[in-house]
């Protein structure tokens, strides 16, 4: 996990996307922000280390700002899907979007 978290942190930037200041990962927009990276702390939530019974049982990208607010991105069911996103976030997102479109298309056909 430390390798994945290091990869995540290394590829973060604050960029302007459509006029908004955004934290991006390899150019993929994740969170809007009003502050620079130096005011944000990033980590990956690891479900194998959950403390409470109602903690998520999937991986999440996490960000805590200088005011103590938390922001989350993703729902990765295993370390492989997290790693797939971290390797190629644009392709991962496109594939997920296509799967959702196929799912809803099938659901409309059932009704």
């Amino acid at each position: 996990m430390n390798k994945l978290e290091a990869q995540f942190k290394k590829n973060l930037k604050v960029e302007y996307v459509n006029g908004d200041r955004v934290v991006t990962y390899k150019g993929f927009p994740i969170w809007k922000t009003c502050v620079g990276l130096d005011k944000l702390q990033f980590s990956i939530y690891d479900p194998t280390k959950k403390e409470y019974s109602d903690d998520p049982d999937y991986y999440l990208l996490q960000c805590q700002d200088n005011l103590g607010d938390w922001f989350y991105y993703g729902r990765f069911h295993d370390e492989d899907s997290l790693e797939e996103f971290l390797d190629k976030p644009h392709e991962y997102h496109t594939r997920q979007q296509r799967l959702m479109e196929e799912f809803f298309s099938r659901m409309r056909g059932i009704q």
Side-chain angles (χ1 to χ4, degrees):
M1 177 57 71
N2 290 338
K3 178 184 156 205
L4 292 178
E5 196 162 290
Q7 176 184 350
F8 174 52
K9 291 177 181 179
K10 180 180 121 185
N11 289 288
L12 292 168
K13 291 182 184 175
V14 172
E15 301 180 56
Y16 284 92
V17 177
N18 297 327
D20 293 318
R21 198 170 151 138
V22 176
V23 175
T24 63
Y25 175 78
K26 292 185 176 180
F28 185 82
I30 298 181
W31 299 289
K32 286 186 180 182
T33 186
C34 296
V35 298
L37 290 180
D38 60 325
K39 304 256 192 239
L40 303 169
Q41 296 177 17
F42 301 96
S43 60
I44 296 175
Y45 171 77
D46 183 348
T48 64
K49 299 177 182 173
K50 64 193 241 177
E51 296 179 32
Y52 305 101
S53 61
D54 60 344
D55 281 352
D57 51 353
Y58 46 86
Y59 293 87
L60 293 166
L61 304 180
Q62 303 180 127
C63 172
Q64 186 178 28
D65 68 14
N66 58 322
L67 302 174
D69 294 326
W70 284 91
F71 303 91
Y72 304 95
Y73 181 83
R75 182 183 179 120
F76 307 99
H77 294 286
D78 54 34
E79 206 167 312
D80 289 340
S81 63
L82 171 62
E83 189 169 4
E84 185 181 341
F85 172 82
L86 293 176
D87 286 343
K88 297 179 180 174
H90 293 279
E91 290 177 23
Y92 180 87
H93 180 69
T94 299
R95 186 173 61 79
Q96 292 298 315
Q97 185 68 27
R98 193 173 338 109
L99 289 172
M100 291 302 291
E101 288 169 1
E102 288 175 15
F103 171 77
F104 285 112
S105 174
R106 288 185 192 140
M107 293 302 292
R108 282 190 290 271
I110 292 173
Q111 296 175 354

